[in-house]
């Protein structure tokens, strides 16, 4: 790496440091290492976890009593994990005031960053304004920016960041002194993933303790795929499923106010032609995770669009079925409780409660529900899922749509039970096993675990007789093994014979 320039250092009560650097190509990757660049500037130990604590604070703190002037012009700057780009920068730090006359970085086809501003008392109580323009044209560019601006590894490493491309935003940050605290405001506008974004945020407190600051945030994303921004909040949320579910046009809006570490109150909604989602309540960001107490709802004319949002594959029987769900939500760390769940599925009412707990890669659940009318094959179809590979389809051949309405047409895939285990209790006025087998006053108890899906007990009235059944569906290689037992006593021979003889519609296989 070759460079030209000038260095002037004058020691004294106030050190004077002047740096002017000019280089056609500068490679700083080995010198800075693989860690985030900001850590070398802002962390007390220079970004080195193994370094002893010097007690000198970060770079801005160490230089606040000095006079520093830097002019950098690099034709091609190579930094860790960042696309090569051209840098033009002129910065001054004097008397605790940081003056950014120019900060321009251009990596063609990847990242464009332009910034300027002036901040007084930058190390202790920032006051001033900074304006920044950011453009990112690739998924990898968005990943780099998320790392630079301090998002967690879950976000920067998420596969869903492609939903934010292309990104073109303008941000204005204003800070002022308010008695003993800093009062800051952020204005954000531009485009993210094909949608228009507008956000206003205010915070009063210490910049070093934002979790204890008083905040007020209001913003919206409107246009094509507005749900893309959720990738920053929920990096594991499958954007392909969400995009298919929400449609292409709509609005995502958020309002939050309070103190993050103790109490936040807010609401969020996603309004599209295909689906409406809303959450409202209060919570906090604690050391143990997010806490939330509130109310949530979802409505769609096609249940097959909503089911994938819960990480499940929708069976064909869910297509075109109207669905509305509402529930009280309580989240504490890895535990989520849904109480007073009320739903209508195709006009049939369902009520109940559910509890989920995430422990590593495994989710434990307990669900209790009461329903007017429900299809057992349709419910199991959600849990069973199925393979969609062309190889499997060719091997098994094509199965007609009539027999594939509920059950998989291409083989079972019980992958979901590898990540979940729990118990389900269901009471239904009518439980459909398949026409004409409709169990009246049914009670079903089921267990999901590594061994498969077990219906430990199913009781009710079938053909005016007492019906009892049990069964298991277990993984077997690339398929599944089904065992079932059933007993029917005191049934009406007339009702039974009419069903079996076909005098009533029969489609059960």
């Amino acid at each position: 790496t070759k460079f030209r320039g000038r260095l002037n250092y004058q020691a004294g009560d106030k050190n004077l440091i002047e740096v002017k650097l000019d280089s056609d190509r500068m490679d700083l990757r080995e010198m800075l290492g693989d860690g985030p660049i900001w850590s070398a500037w802002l962390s007390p130990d220079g970004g080195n976890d193994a370094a002893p604590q010097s007690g000198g604070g970060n770079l801005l703190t160490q230089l606040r009593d000095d006079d520093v002037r830097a002019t950098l012009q690099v034709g091609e700057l190579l930094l860790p994990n960042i696309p090569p780009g051209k840098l033009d920068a002129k910065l001054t730090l004097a008397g605790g005031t940081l003056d950014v006359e120019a900060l321009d970085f251009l990596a063609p086809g990847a990242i464009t960053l332009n910034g300027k501003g002036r901040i007084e008392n930058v190390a202790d109580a920032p006051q001033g304004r900074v304006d920044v323009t950011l453009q990112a044209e690739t998924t990898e560019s968005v990943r780099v920016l998320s790392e630079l601006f301090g998002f967690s590894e879950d976000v920067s490493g998420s596969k869903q960041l492609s939903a934010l491309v292309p990104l073109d935003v303008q941000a204005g940050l204003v800070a002022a002194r308010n008695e003993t605290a800093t009062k800051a405001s952020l204005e954000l506008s531009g485009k993210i993933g094909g949608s228009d974004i507008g956000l206003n945020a205010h915070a009063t407190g210490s910049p070093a303790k934002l979790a204890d600051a008083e905040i007020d945030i209001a913003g919206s994303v409107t246009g094509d795929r507005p749900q893309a921004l959720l990738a920053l909040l929920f990096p594991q949320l499958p954007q392909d499923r969400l995009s298919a579910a929400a449609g292409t046009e709509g609005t995502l809006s958020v309002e939050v106010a309070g103190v993050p570490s103790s109490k936040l109150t807010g609401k969020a909604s996603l309004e599209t032609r295909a689906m409406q989602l809303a959450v409202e309540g209060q919570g906090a960001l604690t050391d143990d995770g997010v806490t939330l107490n509130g109310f949530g709802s979802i409505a769609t004319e096609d249940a097959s669009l909503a089911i994938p949002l819960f990480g499940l594959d929708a069976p064909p029987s869910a297509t075109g079925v109207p669905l509305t769900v509402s529930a009280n939500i309580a989240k504490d760390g890895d535990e989520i409780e849904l109480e007073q769940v009320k739903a209508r599925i195709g006009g049939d009412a369902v009520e109940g409660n559910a509890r989920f707990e995430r422990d590593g890669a495994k989710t434990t659940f307990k669900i209790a529900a009461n329903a007017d009318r429900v299809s057992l094959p349709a419910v199991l179809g959600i849990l069973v899922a199925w393979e969609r590979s062309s190889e499997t389809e060719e091997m098994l051949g094509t199965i007609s749509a009539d027999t594939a309405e509920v059950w998989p047409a291409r083989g079972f895939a019980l992958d979901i039970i590898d990540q979940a285990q729990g118990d389900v209790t269901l009471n239904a006025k009518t439980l459909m096993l398949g026409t004409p087998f409709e169990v009246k006053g049914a009670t079903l108890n089921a267990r999901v675990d590594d061994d498969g899906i077990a219906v430990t007990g199913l009781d009710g009235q079938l053909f005016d007789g007492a019906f009892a059944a049990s069964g298991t569906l277990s993984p077997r290689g690339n398929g599944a093994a089904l065992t079932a037992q059933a007993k029917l006593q005191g049934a009406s021979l007339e009702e039974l014979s009419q069903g079996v003889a076909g005098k009533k519609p029969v489609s059960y296989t």
Side-chain angles (χ1 to χ4, degrees), residues 380 383-384 414 417 446-449 451-455 471-475:
L380 291 180
L383 297 175
V384 170
L414 296 170
I417 67 174
R447 171 75 180 174
V448 177
D449 55 29
D451 295 329
I453 302 170
V455 176
T472 59
L473 188 65
S474 305

Side-chain angles (χ1 to χ4, degrees), residues 159-209:
K159 298 179 181 179
Q160 315 305 331
L161 292 183
S162 58
L164 304 178
V165 179
L167 183 147
D168 185 356
V169 298
Q170 299 80 46
L173 177 62
V174 179
R177 196 65 180 164
N178 181 16
E179 295 180 353
T180 60
T182 296
K183 185 175 183 180
S185 63
L186 172 66
E187 296 179 3
L188 191 66
S189 61
K191 286 187 173 293
I192 294 182
S195 293
D196 296 319
I197 181 173
L199 181 141
N200 287 288
H202 305 275
T204 301
S206 170
K209 299 180 179 180

Side-chain angles (χ1 to χ4, degrees), residues 243-257:
S243 296
T248 58
E249 296 289 335
T251 298
L252 171 69
S253 60
V254 178
E255 294 181 17
V256 180

Side-chain angles (χ1 to χ4, degrees), residues 2 16 27 29 72 99 116 164-165 181 191 204 214 266 271 301 375 393-394 405 407 413 429 439 473 476:
K2 297 180 180 180
L16 173 63
D27 189 344
R29 291 174 294 185
L72 308 174
D99 192 354
K116 63 179 180 179
L164 304 178
V165 179
K191 286 187 173 293
T204 301
E214 183 79 28
E271 295 280 344
E301 291 299 312
S375 166
E393 183 177 11
E394 291 173 0
E405 285 183 358
W407 293 108
K429 294 180 180 178
V439 182
L473 188 65
R476 288 293 185 273

